[in-house]
């Protein structure tokens, strides 16, 4: 059974950093396209970043230069390192498995990041 | 960037009635369009991909249609568990999502 479990969210001050984790089971993270998608409180879904099976990474303009996506084969885990956080980064962050270069078929339950002083 | 626009923002429907949700793309998404359902406090769930293919385990009352710039999600007879927010997503050129349509009980 495919499962994705995020962790690492919390309250952080503007300018601070957080590292989100997404532990996967039932499939191999490094063999798939893996994404981070966020949802601000009461708002819609916003794509954040993707890492391809080959290792290429891409980012939304809103986070480029501040966020870094990565993965660890030994623990089958996806990460999102978030630096220079801003109030507008406040959201629930979901990891999601992408089917090839298309849609997503599995989502984690999300982890809440709150950026506030 | 392909901008996705969903309408209406809120749809009030009685149980057992038909619901029709629309999604428009600012440029062609061909058939690379997915629909997701999200309930409060839950992650989105894939309903439809390829504009019209139901995902595994999705009831036949959900159907998708369209191509290019105009897409529709139809729920033929609303059940209590169908009241939720629905998002369309194009994956023809990266990913962008619509702003969502909330289906509420009339």
């Amino acid at each position: 059974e495919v499962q994705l479990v995020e962790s690492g969210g919390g309250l952080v001050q503007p300018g601070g950093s957080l590292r989100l984790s997404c532990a996967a089971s039932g499939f191999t993270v490094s063999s798939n396209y893996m994404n981070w998608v966020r949802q601000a409180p009461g708002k819609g879904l916003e794509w954040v970043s993707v890492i391809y099976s080959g290792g290429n990474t891409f980012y939304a303009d809103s986070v480029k230069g501040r966020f870094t996506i990565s993965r660890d084969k030994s623990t089958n885990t996806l990460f999102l390192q978030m630096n220079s956080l801003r109030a507008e980064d406040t959201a629930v962050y979901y990891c999601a498995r992408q089917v090839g270069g298309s849609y997503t078929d599995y989502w984690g339950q999300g982890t809440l990041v709150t950026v506030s002083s | 960037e392909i901008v996705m626009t969903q309408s209406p923002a809120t749809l009030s429907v009685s149980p057992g009635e038909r619901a029709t949700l629309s999604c428009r793309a600012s440029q062609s998404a061909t058939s690379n369009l997915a629909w997701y359902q999200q309930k409060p406090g839950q992650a989105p769930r894939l309903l439809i991909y390829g504009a019209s293919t139901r995902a595994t385990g999705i009831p036949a009352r959900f159907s998708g249609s369209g191509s290019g710039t105009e897409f529709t999600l139809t729920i033929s007879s609303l059940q209590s568990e169908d009241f939720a927010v629905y998002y369309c997503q194009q994956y023809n050129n990266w990913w962008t999502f619509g702003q969502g349509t909330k289906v509420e009980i009339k």
Side-chain angles (χ1 to χ4, degrees):
Chain A
E1 180 191 5
V2 170
Q3 282 198 321
L4 296 166
V5 179
E6 300 96 334
S7 60
L11 175 64
V12 61
Q13 292 188 336
S17 298
L18 272 181
R19 188 193 198 202
L20 306 183
S21 300
C22 172
S25 58
F27 73 101
T28 301
V29 165
S30 60
S31 298
N32 285 266
Y33 290 14
M34 296 296 298
N35 292 259
W36 288 97
V37 177
R38 68 185 180 183
Q39 186 170 36
K43 302 296 185 182
L45 301 165
E46 179 189 17
W47 173 76
V48 173
S49 181
V50 61
I51 183 167
Y52 288 170
S53 51
N56 288 347
T57 59
F58 299 92
Y59 302 90
D61 287 344
S62 57
V63 307
K64 201 173 294 183
R66 300 187 299 123
F67 291 10
T68 303
I69 190 171
S70 63
R71 64 193 181 198
D72 183 86
K73 284 186 179 181
S74 64
T75 59
N76 206 31
T77 302
L78 178 73
F79 301 101
L80 186 68
Q81 177 67 44
M82 305 186 296
N83 299 330
S84 303
L85 282 161
R86 307 166 179 166
E88 55 265 35
D89 296 319
T90 294
V92 174
Y93 285 74
Y94 297 99
C95 63
R97 187 178 80 167
Q98 185 174 352
V99 178
S102 59
Y103 54 91
T104 182
D105 57 352
Y106 287 97
W107 300 69
Q109 86 289 352
T111 187
L112 176 63
V113 172
T114 303
V115 184
S116 174
S117 55
Chain B
E1 175 184 319
I2 300 179
V3 177
M4 307 301 291
T5 303
Q6 292 186 240
S7 61
T10 303
L11 188 60
S12 298
V13 185
S14 299
E17 288 189 340
R18 181 187 195 91
T20 302
L21 289 67
S22 296
C23 176
R24 174 175 291 179
S26 62
Q27 57 186 278
S28 179
T30 63
S31 293
N32 292 325
L33 192 286
W35 289 94
Y36 300 89
Q37 177 194 69
Q38 187 179 35
K39 296 180 180 179
Q42 296 185 17
R45 177 176 73 140
L46 176 67
L47 298 176
I48 301 284
Y49 62 92
S52 61
T53 303
R54 276 189 304 276
T56 303
I58 301 303
R61 64 181 181 271
F62 291 92
S63 63
S65 63
S67 65
T69 61
E70 300 284 342
F71 301 91
T72 300
L73 175 70
T74 301
I75 311 171
S76 59
S77 176
L78 271 159
Q79 306 298 303
S80 58
E81 62 266 30
D82 300 335
F83 292 96
V85 179
Y86 293 82
Y87 293 95
C88 62
Q89 176 208 33
Q90 68 80 23
Y91 49 90
N92 195 60
N93 183 2
W94 298 102
W95 279 6
T96 48
F97 295 90
Q99 79 280 17
T101 290
K102 181 180 181 181
V103 177
E104 64 176 24
I105 300 175
K106 187 174 182 180

